[in-house]
Amino acid sequence: MLDLSPFYLTLKLATVTTAILFVISVPVAYGLAFARWRGKVIVESIVGLPLVLPPSVLGFYLLLALSPLNAFGHFLEKYFDLRLVFTFPGLVVASVIYSLPFMIQPIQNGFRSVPVALKEAAYTLGKSRFTTLTKVLLPNMKGALLTGCMLTFAHTIGEFGVVLMVGGNIPHETRVISVTIYDEVEAMNYHQANVYASILLVFSFLVLISVYLVNNRAFKVDPYHD
C-alpha cells in the first residue's frame, strides 16, 4: 500500500517554504532591482550560490551551523529551546536557503520588466514607495510572482541532498518524498520507487507547463497594437 505521509510532509514543506520566501523575496528583489551600489553584485552572487553549489555541500555546512555542538546551534537550543537538526523546522530553514534564488530572481526580473515611467508617474502623483510597490509595481508583474512561487514550490518538492543532510530520514517528521524514493531503491523495492518517482515526474512536468503558460500570457504581444 502506498504510504501517503511523505507526500503530505513534502507538500507541507513546499507550502511553508514558498510562503516564507515570498515574504522575504519581494523586498530583497526590489532592492536588488533598483539599488545602485557597488556591493550589489556580492549580494546577487550570494543569493544565486545555491544554483551552482552541490546540495550536499550546502547541506553539510548547514548541518554544522545548526548542530547543537557548534556555537549557533548551541545558542538556539540554550536560549530558545530550538533544535533545528533532524526536525521539520530545520528542513524549512534549509529549504528556504536552498530555494532562495528560485524565488528572488524571477521577482527581480519582474521588477525590471515594469516600465520605469509607471514608477515615476506614481512618485509624481505623491504616492509613497510602499503604495507604489503594492498598487503599481506588483500588479504589473503577476507573471513573475506566479513563476517564482511555482518554481520555488516545485524545487522544494524535489530537494534531496540538503534535506537528507539536515533532516535525516525520520518517518512522519523529516522523511520527504525524495528521501522515500531513495529508501525504496536501497531496499530494492523498484516498483514502489517507480510509483513515487512517476508522480514526481508528472508533477514537475505540469509545473513547467504552467510556468511557460504564465510567462507567455504575461509577455504576449498584441499584434494589433502599434
Side-chain angles (χ1 to χ4, degrees):
M1 184 177 178
L2 192 67
D3 183 11
L4 297 180
S5 62
F7 286 105
Y8 167 75
L9 190 61
T10 303
L11 291 174
K12 179 182 176 182
L13 176 63
T15 302
V16 173
T17 299
T18 302
I20 293 175
L21 272 178
F22 183 82
V23 174
I24 294 173
S25 298
V26 169
V28 173
Y30 179 87
L32 292 176
F34 299 117
R36 296 290 183 268
W37 50 288
R38 294 180 180 178
K40 187 176 76 169
V41 66
I42 298 178
V43 177
E44 288 179 323
S45 298
I46 293 174
V47 168
L49 195 59
L51 291 173
V52 296
L53 194 66
S56 56
V57 174
L58 180 60
F60 171 70
Y61 284 115
L62 285 175
L63 179 62
L64 291 181
L66 301 177
S67 172
L69 299 178
N70 290 309
F72 182 65
H74 178 71
F75 172 79
L76 291 177
E77 186 168 9
K78 181 178 180 179
Y79 294 100
F80 298 96
D81 193 25
L82 180 62
R83 178 181 286 248
L84 294 179
V85 175
F86 307 129
T87 63
F88 182 79
L91 287 186
V92 173
V93 172
S95 297
V96 165
I97 294 174
Y98 187 49
S99 295
L100 195 63
F102 291 88
M103 180 70 81
I104 287 184
Q105 291 184 356
I107 296 179
Q108 182 181 351
N109 292 331
F111 279 125
R112 289 173 175 170
S113 69
V114 178
V116 179
L118 290 178
K119 185 174 69 168
E120 292 178 346
Y123 290 157
T124 302
L125 293 173
K127 304 298 182 182
S128 66
R129 289 183 178 272
F130 181 77
T131 302
T132 301
L133 172 65
T134 56
K135 301 296 184 180
V136 178
L137 297 180
L138 293 181
N140 283 281
M141 46 178 282
K142 293 178 182 178
L145 298 176
L146 289 174
T147 297
C149 289
M150 288 187 291
L151 288 178
T152 301
F153 190 89
H155 184 252
T156 305
I157 292 286
E159 288 177 2
F160 176 71
V162 172
V163 296
L164 183 62
M165 294 288 285
V166 176
N169 186 6
I170 305 174
H172 308 290
E173 179 69 25
T174 63
R175 192 183 187 212
V176 295
I177 187 64
S178 57
V179 177
T180 302
I181 295 174
Y182 175 79
D183 285 345
E184 297 295 348
V185 173
E186 284 284 291
M188 292 190 286
N189 296 327
Y190 296 123
H191 173 72
Q192 197 81 339
N194 181 54
V195 173
Y196 286 123
S198 298
I199 293 174
L200 281 188
L201 176 63
V202 172
F203 174 79
S204 300
F205 183 69
L206 291 176
V207 168
L208 283 177
I209 289 179
S210 300
V211 169
Y212 285 121
L213 287 175
V214 167
N215 282 329
N216 287 338
R217 289 179 180 177
F219 298 103
K220 186 176 180 181
V221 178
D222 185 358
Y224 298 102
H225 178 71
D226 189 5

